[in-house]
Amino acid sequence: METPVFEEIDPANDCDCPGCLHWRRVLPRPAGGHPAATRAVILAAAASTAFGIVHAAPAFAAPHAPARPGAPTADEPDTPQGDKAPLHGPGGKPAVIKAPATTRADIIKRAKQWVAARVPYSMSEYWGDGYRQDCSGFVSMAWNLPGNEWTGSLDQYGVRIAKEDLQPGDILLFHNPANPEQGSHVVIFGGWTDYTHTYYLAYEETRPYARKQATPYAYWSNSSRYLAYRYKGLAGGTAGTEPDTAKPEAPDVTPFPGAAYFGPGANNKYVTQLGRMLVERGAARYYTSGPGPRWTDADRRATQAFQEAQGWRGKDADGLPGAQTWALLITGGGKDITTGAAGPPAPSSHGVPGYPGRAMFRPGATNKYVTQLGERLVKKGFGKYYTTGPGPRWGEPDRRNVEAFQRAQGWRGGAADGYPGPETWRRLFT
């Protein structure tokens, strides 16, 4: 009898075709993952050898695996969830532990670990730490709960707070009792992105994997039905009206790298970081593309506009960032850019409108180019995620439609992130 030949299949992590979904369920998990899948494959191989089976074994699915969902119809992917379950899964032995007190920093730290690991979404599978890979399992993990809760039970571990009291580590919870598997969702609040309190950083487990993203308050859809909660075991108190002594997540502050990193000929990551900070402060009009790592006149004029907005003149507003300019940008201090001439109009080529720059397509952006992009996506047949519009305000439907178009070009990973670059723009308008 010939020895069977096995071919190792390593599908792309972000592919959601039925075949890849199957192999992700049945192949062994990464080191530290739950051992159930590994044992299943070994047992299947052993049984095949014992009975002399030569033909390939039929594909087998993990128990309780959900059917492949259809295309979502809301602004965000639907997030069906598993019911309340013990740690390590329904077939495992519950861990007998008491939910310990925790801090905001620890909650955010645990959430970041799943985001960094790009834990794939699943309502039936469990990550190596024993928590279910859906939205409520993600919060159960971050709050360090003794078991896997669901949106119908998470509220018992927290107390209601007002929007004004939200701090990193709190959650925004929507439970739909009429149909818990459709619409129900929960995210971890990571802090406001600006003083208007209209956008915040949301840590969440959603398709295709855990992410951190600027999100409109309270969420992309069903916004009015989300309620804010604070974990009862939080160090420093839980009530929204009581002073909270726990420190919020420390911002990522990059020290000023030095004047040598900016100016003609400079090409480094700090130029990109400078440009992005300037765009956030109102300098998007100066960039027709980018910001990028190579220093351009657009960076100089944008920096000068920010310096002049602070009331500086002469050598203090020469368009080259110094330590004081950098400090204001990195901490969000000083005044935003509200005046100044726009950059040169983007050129057209062969009937293709000039690419306006990445700054025009980001959370919170509102401009004519977003509408122009959306209308072109619809015309090309990539508008299925729009429930209204398209319109001038950039939103998650725009991003998901762009992502669908990029995937249709055969792009994957960072090349299909849903944010249009020059090549995406060119292909859309040709």
Side-chain angles (χ1 to χ4, degrees):
M1 182 182 70
E2 295 183 2
T3 303
V5 177
F6 295 93
E7 179 182 1
E8 183 176 2
I9 299 176
D10 186 14
N13 289 337
D14 58 354
C15 180
D16 62 353
C17 71
C20 289
L21 284 173
H22 163 72
W23 285 111
R24 281 204 296 272
R25 287 197 298 266
V26 302
L27 284 177
R29 298 196 58 78
H34 195 277
T38 305
R39 290 198 301 270
V41 173
I42 295 174
L43 290 174
S48 171
T49 304
F51 290 100
I53 298 175
V54 177
H55 299 292
F60 56 92
H64 311 297
R68 185 170 184 262
T73 57
D75 290 346
E76 275 290 293
D78 55 344
T79 52
Q81 56 177 321
D83 294 331
K84 181 177 178 180
L87 200 61
H88 303 299
K93 184 178 180 180
V96 183
I97 60 174
K98 182 179 180 181
T102 189
T103 64
R104 296 186 185 282
D106 285 339
I107 292 173
I108 297 299
K109 180 180 178 180
R110 285 189 287 267
K112 283 183 173 181
Q113 289 174 348
W114 272 34
V115 172
R118 295 164 69 94
V119 175
Y121 178 89
S122 174
M123 63 178 289
S124 61
E125 295 185 2
Y126 295 76
W127 198 238
D129 53 15
Y131 290 97
R132 190 179 54 241
Q133 297 167 212
D134 63 0
C135 63
S136 49
F138 176 68
V139 172
S140 299
M141 175 276 303
W143 276 8
N144 204 21
L145 300 181
N148 284 277
E149 302 299 324
W150 67 308
T151 55
S153 61
L154 276 171
D155 60 340
Q156 66 182 314
Y157 292 91
V159 293
R160 283 280 304 278
I161 59 173
K163 171 186 176 181
E164 295 74 19
D165 295 321
L166 277 166
Q167 295 185 47
D170 299 334
I171 65 171
L172 290 166
L173 171 67
F174 165 42
H175 177 61
N176 181 13
N179 190 352
E181 288 194 356
Q182 296 298 325
S184 298
H185 193 45
V186 61
V187 304
I188 296 174
F189 180 85
W192 298 109
T193 60
D194 56 31
Y195 71 94
T196 65
H197 289 190
T198 55
Y199 271 76
Y200 67 99
L201 289 176
Y203 294 87
E204 60 179 327
E205 180 66 63
T206 187
R207 293 187 178 93
Y209 41 71
R211 70 182 183 186
K212 169 188 175 183
Q213 178 173 290
T215 303
Y217 182 84
Y219 201 66
W220 304 96
S221 56
N222 298 304
S223 179
S224 62
R225 303 182 67 180
Y226 278 78
L227 302 176
Y229 288 89
R230 179 164 298 162
Y231 179 49
K232 287 181 178 179
L234 189 67
T238 58
T241 56
E242 296 178 0
D244 195 326
T245 58
K247 293 182 179 180
E249 177 187 7
D252 296 327
V253 177
T254 304
F256 179 57
Y261 286 86
F262 307 100
N267 188 343
N268 56 75
K269 65 179 182 179
Y270 298 109
V271 176
T272 304
Q273 185 177 4
L274 172 74
R276 289 174 177 171
M277 291 190 295
L278 288 166
V279 167
E280 292 291 336
R281 303 301 294 272
R285 71 192 77 177
Y286 295 97
Y287 291 93
T288 56
S289 63
R294 183 178 295 278
W295 179 268
T296 67
D297 191 57
D299 297 297
R300 183 194 64 78
R301 292 188 301 113
T303 302
Q304 186 177 39
F306 178 76
Q307 292 168 334
E308 291 177 346
Q310 314 313 308
W312 305 342
R313 296 295 181 267
K315 292 183 178 179
D316 293 330
D318 59 359
L320 296 173
Q324 189 174 2
T325 300
W326 185 268
L328 289 176
L329 287 169
I330 204 75
T331 61
K335 299 178 181 179
D336 291 345
I337 301 170
T338 57
T339 59
S348 299
S349 176
H350 303 289
V352 179
Y355 175 62
R358 296 181 187 276
M360 296 297 168
F361 311 103
R362 58 184 178 85
T366 301
N367 56 73
K368 65 179 182 179
Y369 300 108
V370 177
T371 303
Q372 189 177 13
L373 173 78
E375 291 174 347
R376 192 66 180 178
L377 285 166
V378 171
K379 187 173 182 179
K380 287 276 190 176
F382 293 90
K384 69 176 181 178
Y385 295 110
Y386 289 121
T387 55
T388 59
R393 184 174 182 84
W394 177 265
E396 186 64 7
D398 297 293
R399 189 195 67 78
R400 296 180 67 204
N401 285 326
V402 171
E403 182 183 19
F405 175 79
Q406 291 169 332
R407 287 179 176 273
Q409 313 309 304
W411 303 341
R412 294 292 183 270
D417 60 359
Y419 294 95
E423 183 62 17
T424 300
W425 186 268
R426 185 188 68 80
R427 295 194 183 196
L428 267 174
F429 285 91
T430 53

